[in-house]
Amino acid sequence: MEIVFEHVSYHNALNDISIKITSNNITGIYHNHDLIKLLKNPKLVEKGMITINDEKYKYNNKLVSIINYKEPFYTARVIDEILFNAKIRGYQNDNIKTKIESLLDELGLDRDILNKVVHTLSTTEKYLIKIVANLIYEPRIIIFERLMDNLDAYHQKKWQQLIMRLKNEDKIIIISSNKCDTLYDITDEIIIVNKAKLLIQGKTDDVYTKEIKLLLKNKIDVPSFPLLTYLASTKKNVNLFYRKDVRDVIKDVYKSVS
Amino acid sequence: MENILEVNNLTFAYNKDHNVFENLQFSIKKETVSLILGSSSCGKTTLIRLLTGILPSNNNITVNGVSLNNKTVKDYMLLFGVVFSDDNYLFLTETVIDEIAYPLENLSYSKKEINERIQELVNLLQLDDCINKRINELSSFEQVKVLIATSIAHHPKIIFLDNILEGLTNSEVQKIFTILNKIKKDISIVITSTSLDYILNFDEVVVLGNKKILTTGTPKEVLTMDNELAKLGFAIPKMIDLSLKLAFYGVVDDVITDVDRMVDVLWK
C-alpha cells in the first residue's frame, strides 16, 4: 500500500511537495503538521493530488486512524469511548471486548481502566486510551498526529513494541513529532519539510548520518548522538561510528579519549 | 532566597479509598523557574488544581506567607496564572488579541490598560508575528507563547504551566526558557513535566512520586539520583545519560546537554 503526494501545494505551508509513504515502514514527519492536515482533509489541496494505490485519496474514517492526544473525548467512560469509536465506523466484531483487553495489555494498561471516567485519567492514560480507541476498528493507515513525547520509559517501550507489531501487518504508519531524537530511534523513513519545500525524504538512518550538513545549514535539529559523531569528526577530526545506544557511544568515546 | 509558595502536609483523595497525596510538604522559591517532575498518573495536574484553588486544599498552602484558606475566586485569580495541557481548557476566544485581553477584561482593566499591557507582552514574548492571527492559525510554538502571555497578563505572583513544553522542538524550548528567565524576576514560574529532557534549564526541581515528595533540589542534585529516577520510570535523556556515565568513568566532570559543548570538553 502506498500514499503518494504528487506536486501538492497548500496555502503557504506546502509548495510542490512530492513524497511517497509506503506500508511496512514507520514513516516520520519532522516538525510539520500540514501533510497530515491534508490526509485528514484532502479537499484542502490547492494544487497537485494525493493518491492511495494509484487512486485518488479520499479520507475514510474506517481506513484511516488519526491519533492526537489533545483531541477531546466524546463520552464519559473509557469503555464507552472505545466502543463509540468502533460504532461510528460501523465496526462489528463479536470478540471486541477481547480485542480491547488485548490492546490494553499491549500498552501496559490495567483492564480496570475501562470503567474509569475519562476526566480522571492522567495525560498519559488519555493518550494510551486514544490509541486503543483508534486501533480497535483495525485501520489500514495509522497516523500519530501529535506524538506524546514524554511517555515514561515503561509505556514508551510498550508503545514501540505495538508500533513494530503494526508495521509488520502491512499498515501505513506515520508519526509526526517535533523531537528528532524520538524519530531517529523509531522510524524507518523520515520526511522533512522546510519553509514549505521538501528538504529531504529518505531512510532515517541515512538522513541523520549522511545529511547532517544539509540539516544544520537549514537550522533543522539533529538527534544528539549523530550530531556528536558529526561534530567530533568536523571540529576535532575524531572519527566515531554513528550509534543509537548510549552504551556504544560511551565505548567509542572512551576509546577515543583514552 | 525567600519562598513564594509553601505547601504543608497536603493530603488529597478523589475518593475515600485512594489518596493521591499524603502529607505533601515542599516550597517554591521566589524568582525561580521550578520543575515539578513526576511520572505518569502521579498527580501533577491534580496538584496544580489544588494549588490554584480549583480543588479544595484545606489550609495547607501559603503564598508570600499568607494562607489561602477562605480566599475568594478573585483572590486566586490575582495570585495565580495557570495553563493546563488539556486542549479543552487552552483557548477561550478566537484571536490572539482577544485571548490575552480576556483575563484583563474579567478583572475590569480599562481599554487603555489592556492595550498597553498587550503591547508590553508582545515585546516581552516576541509575539509580533502572531499578535494579529486567529488562534487556529498559530503554530505549536506560537500557541505556547500566547498561553504564557495570557497567564501573566494580570501580573500574578506565580504561574503554573502544566506540561507546556510537550510537542516543541529543542530550539523552541530554549527560546521559551529565554523568555521565562526574563519573566521570573517578577513572576515565579512552575512547570510540570514527566520528562527530564530540559531539567538543566530549571532553577529548582521537586520530584513527586508514590503520593509524596521524593526529593527537591537543584537539577544536578536531582540527577545524582539517576538510578532511582530510572526505577521510577523516568526516561533519562540521551545526553544526560551519556554525561552521567562518562562522569562515572572520570571522562567528564559535569552534566552537559549541549552537544557542541560536549565535543569541546571531550576532545580539548
Side-chain angles (χ1 to χ4, degrees):
Chain A
M1 189 166 47
E2 63 180 30
I3 293 174
V4 178
F5 284 64
E6 290 176 54
H7 301 290
V8 166
S9 294
Y10 162 64
H11 220 43
N12 296 323
L14 298 172
N15 184 359
D16 194 28
I17 302 285
S18 292
I19 54 174
K20 191 191 286 189
I21 301 172
T22 56
S23 55
N24 298 117
N25 253 334
I26 299 170
T27 302
I29 298 176
Y30 174 69
H31 197 35
N32 180 289
H33 299 292
D34 297 296
L35 291 170
I36 290 172
K37 206 184 259 188
L38 296 184
L39 288 173
K40 282 162 84 167
N41 188 355
K43 291 179 185 173
L44 294 173
V45 171
E46 289 166 10
K47 281 185 193 169
M49 191 158 58
I50 304 174
T51 60
I52 180 164
N53 295 339
D54 295 322
E55 289 182 11
K56 189 172 179 183
Y57 172 85
K58 290 178 195 173
Y59 176 72
N60 177 336
N61 72 355
K62 293 175 191 172
L63 186 70
V64 183
S65 109
I66 300 189
I67 301 167
N68 182 338
Y69 76 96
K70 295 209 170 193
E71 287 277 330
F73 286 83
Y74 296 101
T75 64
R77 283 191 321 148
V78 169
I79 181 66
D80 295 332
E81 184 71 18
I82 298 170
L83 293 175
F84 174 73
N85 264 274
K87 189 175 177 184
I88 58 169
R89 289 167 176 84
Y91 179 78
Q92 284 179 342
N93 185 323
D94 292 336
N95 295 320
I96 194 165
K97 189 165 183 275
T98 308
K99 276 203 69 180
I100 292 171
E101 288 172 350
S102 173
L103 282 167
L104 292 177
D105 293 344
E106 268 195 280
L107 286 166
L109 291 170
D110 285 333
R111 291 180 184 186
D112 58 10
I113 203 172
L114 289 172
N115 291 317
K116 281 191 174 182
V117 178
V118 296
H119 81 257
T120 64
L121 299 179
S122 69
T123 311
T124 296
E125 286 170 336
K126 283 180 184 169
Y127 178 61
L128 296 173
I129 291 302
K130 281 269 172 235
I131 295 174
V132 174
N134 279 281
L135 292 182
I136 195 64
Y137 54 90
E138 299 180 54
R140 298 290 313 282
I141 300 168
I142 300 164
I143 302 173
F144 289 86
E145 181 181 17
R146 277 184 102 140
L147 184 68
M148 191 168 167
D149 297 318
N150 298 327
L151 280 178
D152 57 84
Y154 172 72
H155 287 111
Q156 175 74 9
K157 190 173 175 189
K158 287 285 194 183
W159 175 79
Q160 282 182 230
Q161 286 168 346
L162 170 67
I163 298 301
M164 292 308 293
R165 197 257 295 165
L166 293 170
K167 167 185 156 175
N168 294 327
E169 292 178 2
D170 193 34
K171 297 188 193 292
I172 283 183
I173 301 172
I174 301 171
I175 294 174
S176 171
S177 175
N178 291 340
K179 294 281 193 280
C180 55
D181 271 295
T182 305
L183 293 174
Y184 180 52
D185 284 343
I186 59 177
T187 63
D188 301 304
E189 282 245 325
I190 188 126
I191 296 166
I192 301 177
V193 171
N194 189 41
K195 295 181 184 165
K197 294 289 238 176
L198 178 68
L199 181 67
I200 194 159
Q201 176 180 12
K203 288 198 165 84
T204 307
D205 284 350
D206 287 344
V207 168
Y208 282 136
T209 55
K210 296 172 185 161
E211 305 292 348
I212 293 178
K213 191 175 175 185
L214 174 69
L215 300 178
L216 291 175
K217 188 179 162 193
N218 286 277
K219 297 191 177 143
I220 305 288
D221 284 349
V222 176
S224 315
F225 290 165
L227 184 60
L228 183 81
T229 302
Y230 176 80
L231 292 175
S233 170
T234 54
K235 282 179 72 171
K236 305 289 180 181
N237 220 18
V238 172
N239 293 318
L240 305 174
F241 291 106
Y242 283 98
R243 304 285 197 189
K244 287 191 179 178
D245 192 306
V246 67
R247 290 165 292 189
D248 295 326
V249 175
I250 289 166
K251 282 182 205 163
D252 293 349
V253 165
Y254 194 72
K255 269 188 214 166
S256 77
V257 299
S258 311
Chain B
M1 205 179 276
E2 263 182 86
N3 292 333
I4 182 81
L5 175 80
E6 287 178 3
V7 177
N8 295 301
N9 296 319
L10 178 65
T11 295
F12 179 77
Y14 282 111
N15 61 57
K16 285 177 204 170
D17 304 323
H18 175 68
N19 278 348
V20 179
F21 307 120
E22 290 172 355
N23 301 317
L24 274 195
Q25 190 123 351
F26 70 96
S27 57
I28 300 289
K29 293 195 177 75
K30 277 185 180 172
E31 298 179 31
T32 55
V33 183
S34 299
L35 170 64
I36 294 181
L37 179 69
S39 59
S40 162
S41 313
C42 78
K44 298 180 296 298
T45 302
T46 300
L47 180 59
I48 293 190
R49 289 179 181 152
L50 287 163
L51 294 175
T52 54
I54 295 169
L55 292 168
S57 61
N58 297 326
N59 202 28
N60 301 99
I61 302 166
T62 60
V63 174
N64 270 342
V66 177
S67 169
L68 294 184
N69 202 26
N70 295 322
K71 291 292 182 202
T72 64
V73 170
K74 187 173 178 183
D75 292 331
Y76 275 100
M77 260 194 90
L78 291 172
L79 285 171
F80 301 120
V82 59
V83 177
F84 288 104
S85 60
D86 188 327
D87 236 352
N88 289 329
Y89 300 115
L90 280 183
F91 297 104
L92 301 168
T93 68
E94 292 190 356
T95 68
V96 172
I97 289 178
D98 287 342
E99 193 67 25
I100 300 174
Y102 185 78
L104 302 175
E105 287 163 357
N106 282 337
L107 289 167
S108 306
Y109 279 52
S110 69
K111 272 205 169 165
K112 182 169 179 281
E113 286 167 331
I114 292 174
N115 288 338
E116 282 171 1
R117 184 59 178 150
I118 289 176
Q119 195 49 56
E120 278 171 19
L121 292 168
V122 167
N123 294 337
L124 180 63
L125 286 143
Q126 294 149 35
L127 295 173
D128 307 80
D129 290 344
C130 61
I131 189 63
N132 293 311
K133 283 187 180 179
R134 300 184 72 78
I135 297 295
N136 63 6
E137 293 170 341
L138 298 176
S139 68
S140 303
F141 178 52
E142 288 169 337
Q143 282 186 13
V144 170
K145 288 201 292 181
V146 169
L147 287 168
I148 293 172
T150 311
S151 70
I152 65 172
H154 58 294
H155 302 283
K157 297 279 182 271
I158 317 173
I159 56 170
F160 296 94
L161 307 174
D162 189 23
N163 220 14
I164 201 169
L165 304 175
E166 180 75 28
L168 300 180
T169 65
N170 296 336
S171 321
E172 288 168 346
V173 169
Q174 294 312 319
K175 288 177 188 169
I176 293 295
F177 274 105
T178 303
I179 292 169
L180 294 179
N181 282 319
K182 279 191 247 173
I183 295 170
K184 74 180 186 184
K185 290 173 201 140
D186 301 309
I187 302 171
S188 304
I189 299 156
V190 178
I191 295 179
T192 68
S193 181
T194 53
S195 166
L196 290 159
D197 279 350
Y198 306 109
I199 189 172
L200 292 182
N201 287 289
F202 291 92
D203 299 308
E204 291 284 315
V205 180
V206 175
V207 183
L208 186 60
N210 298 330
K211 305 179 188 180
K212 52 185 190 281
I213 302 298
L214 297 175
T215 192
T216 61
T218 64
K220 289 187 183 174
E221 285 167 353
V222 169
L223 284 174
T224 60
M225 298 171 53
D226 59 309
N227 290 328
E228 288 89 342
L229 292 171
K231 281 179 195 160
L232 285 167
F234 292 104
I236 308 294
K238 292 187 176 205
M239 288 303 291
I240 292 177
D241 201 10
L242 180 67
S243 291
L244 292 171
K245 289 181 163 84
L246 288 174
F248 179 80
Y249 291 112
V251 179
V252 299
D253 56 12
D254 199 6
V255 180
I256 303 169
T257 52
D258 179 69
V259 178
D260 210 32
R261 192 170 150 241
M262 176 66 89
V263 167
D264 286 338
V265 166
L266 286 173
W267 298 287
K268 294 190 182 82

